[in-house]
Amino acid sequence: MSVLELRDVHRTHGQGATEVHALRGVSIAVAPGELVAVMGPSGSGKSTLLNLAGGLDSPTSGSVVIEGVDLGTLNRSGLAGLRRRRLGYVFQDLNLLASLTAAENIALPLELDGVAPRKARPQAEAALIEVGLDGYAERFPDEMSGGQQQRVAIARALVGQRRLMLADEPTGALDSQTGEAVLRLLRSKVDAGAAAVLVTHEARHAAWADRVIFLRDGVVVDTSVGSADAAALLETAG
């Protein structure tokens, strides 16, 4: 079973003269152990696709299915529960809470899902060790570098039984060395059996993916199995 499926998904914003077709009949499936990169020019629908995959937005038509569950059949609490338990979302702007320490930021989604703090804390500390931040549990976001904050955000996305990771330009604000480390970690989680969708505009980042999907004007215009053709896809975007 695929971890994520988008089935003939359309997303339209506005009406009449202001109508914008962000996605037009997009169908993709992402299997366990697969990292899919999504590329395309600005306005091609990349972020819309990621928001739909994460249940942060709803399609105008079509369906989004995560491990056999159609998100359109869930009520608000059911959708929130599914996102907490199965999805890890790495935002470009991190969305760390400044008033919480690194460990508290990572433990928060677990605690919101009913895990007792005494059980959530060890999981958060283990996640920090996994991203190379042993000893940073009590540091606040403003006491860490941008790269360290990004690793905390990655740890928060991976803690618990997350089956699907969605990453929106996760290395956009990082230096190349730190960015490569983040992608290496994401790749390792996928190799361990998770599924991931990475939105990126850089061919060298798409090189970590098993498959590259290229969007233009809300339509899948090309797919590359393996990443060797990622640069060529960019060149054909016009």
Side-chain angles (χ1 to χ4, degrees):
M1 179 187 296
S2 296
V3 176
L4 170 68
E5 289 185 70
L6 273 65
R7 300 173 179 169
D8 193 25
V9 166
H10 293 252
R11 183 64 175 103
T12 303
H13 301 283
Q15 294 181 341
T18 62
E19 188 174 81
V20 175
H21 298 280
L23 290 180
R24 306 167 183 256
V26 171
S27 295
I28 65 171
V30 186
E34 184 178 30
L35 171 57
V36 173
V38 179
M39 307 181 74
S42 178
S44 61
K46 301 188 302 296
S47 293
T48 297
L49 186 153
L50 211 62
N51 286 337
L52 291 171
L56 301 176
D57 192 11
S58 300
T60 304
S61 64
S63 57
V64 179
V65 180
I66 294 179
E67 293 193 311
V69 178
D70 186 337
L71 301 191
T73 67
L74 301 176
N75 60 23
R76 181 181 237 173
S77 62
L79 182 59
L82 182 143
R83 284 199 302 257
R84 287 196 306 270
R85 297 184 189 100
R86 303 192 194 183
L87 271 66
Y89 208 125
V90 184
F91 297 92
Q92 188 173 357
D93 58 3
L94 307 185
N95 287 337
L96 296 178
L97 297 179
S99 61
L100 299 183
T101 64
E104 290 168 343
N105 265 287
I106 296 168
L108 182 60
L110 295 175
E111 294 179 18
L112 289 174
D113 205 35
V115 178
R118 68 180 182 278
K119 294 184 178 180
R121 175 70 183 216
Q123 291 186 55
E125 292 177 347
L128 280 169
I129 293 172
E130 196 169 37
V131 297
L133 291 178
D134 189 14
Y136 282 73
E138 299 303 323
R139 294 199 188 185
F140 291 91
D142 63 2
E143 296 173 334
M144 294 181 283
S145 68
Q148 290 166 345
Q149 290 180 43
Q150 184 65 290
R151 289 180 184 226
V152 173
I154 292 280
R156 183 184 58 189
L158 300 180
V159 73
Q161 301 300 314
R162 305 300 177 89
R163 294 283 293 151
L164 174 63
M165 291 173 289
L166 305 171
D168 187 6
E169 299 280 8
T171 64
L174 303 179
D175 61 78
S176 59
Q177 184 175 2
T178 304
E180 292 295 305
V182 167
L183 289 167
R184 188 175 297 109
L185 177 62
L186 183 62
R187 180 73 251 183
S188 71
K189 288 300 178 181
V190 169
D191 290 341
V197 178
L198 166 69
V199 165
T200 182
H201 66 279
E202 297 218 23
R204 64 190 176 90
H205 294 160
W208 292 85
D210 301 294
R211 183 158 44 106
V212 181
I213 292 172
F214 200 89
L215 288 177
R216 183 166 56 213
D217 297 328
V219 177
V220 176
V221 296
D222 210 338
T223 300
S224 170
V225 178
S227 55
D229 296 330
L233 288 178
L234 280 177
E235 291 174 3
T236 59

